[in-house]
Amino acid sequence: MHLRITTPVAGNYLEIMARFDQSLFEALKPPFGKVELVRFDGSVTGDRVHIRLFLPLVAPQDWISEITDHGQNEQEAWFLDEGKTLPFFLSYWKHRHVVLNKGDHALIVDDITFLGNEWLPSWMLYPVLWMQFAARKSVYQRIFGKPRA
């Protein structure tokens, strides 16, 4: 399954990418359920992010992602996180975080590929994940500002 959500924000794309840090990660936590940040190394190749999800009726779920690529050019800056240890409802996770250079503003892109597990099909996860990542739009715009019309 593939999910792509874009958010226009004010500012320079490189300055925005530089702010993809622990503080922003904490601000982007899902609005539902408890999430504990166990480890946050950063957003460059080799870094790891470990969160623990506390969901109703199941044991705490660890989600460990590794940053497997990062870079920048004149058009964009990006990093790629890939799930290494996933919660029970996922069997595959790849999330490409991109900030596109739009001249007088930037466009943040959450580009996600995922698969559910054997008993929870991907199509059932899609609306939940879409809502979770769509909620980031308002957070991004609150932190970075909206571009001028």
Side-chain angles (χ1 to χ4, degrees):
M1 295 293 289
H2 187 241
L3 177 64
R4 182 180 167 98
I5 295 180
T6 61
T7 309
V9 293
N12 174 274
Y13 76 111
L14 294 175
E15 291 171 4
I16 291 168
M17 180 54 79
R19 292 179 59 194
F20 272 76
D21 57 12
Q22 184 170 339
S23 175
L24 180 61
F25 187 85
E26 293 273 3
L28 292 170
K29 283 183 184 177
F32 53 87
K34 181 181 175 203
V35 178
E36 174 190 346
L37 181 59
V38 177
R39 174 181 174 179
F40 183 92
D41 295 344
S43 302
V44 299
T45 304
D47 285 348
R48 287 194 170 239
V49 177
H50 178 181
I51 61 174
R52 186 162 294 130
L53 306 174
F54 296 89
L55 305 169
L57 307 174
V58 296
Q61 300 290 302
D62 286 328
W63 185 331
I64 302 171
S65 286
E66 182 177 336
I67 308 306
T68 58
D69 186 34
H70 80 282
Q72 67 184 49
N73 57 40
E74 291 181 5
Q75 291 81 37
E76 64 183 16
W78 71 90
F79 67 93
L80 176 67
D81 79 71
E82 295 188 52
K84 300 301 179 184
T85 300
L86 294 169
F88 72 93
F89 51 85
L90 287 170
S91 64
Y92 179 83
W93 181 266
K94 191 179 278 193
H95 181 181
R96 189 166 188 260
H97 306 253
V98 182
V99 183
L100 298 172
N101 180 4
K102 294 297 182 180
D104 64 345
H105 69 282
L107 190 65
I108 297 175
V109 180
D110 286 297
D111 190 343
I112 300 158
T113 305
F114 69 93
L115 290 172
N117 63 21
E118 293 176 4
W119 66 270
L120 188 60
S122 301
W123 61 267
M124 289 179 73
L125 285 171
Y126 189 92
V128 174
L129 291 172
W130 186 90
M131 287 187 323
Q132 176 185 336
F133 282 90
R136 289 181 167 205
K137 292 170 83 71
S138 63
V139 176
Y140 286 142
Q141 289 184 331
R142 178 175 43 83
I143 291 172
F144 299 115
K146 294 180 182 180
R148 293 188 177 141

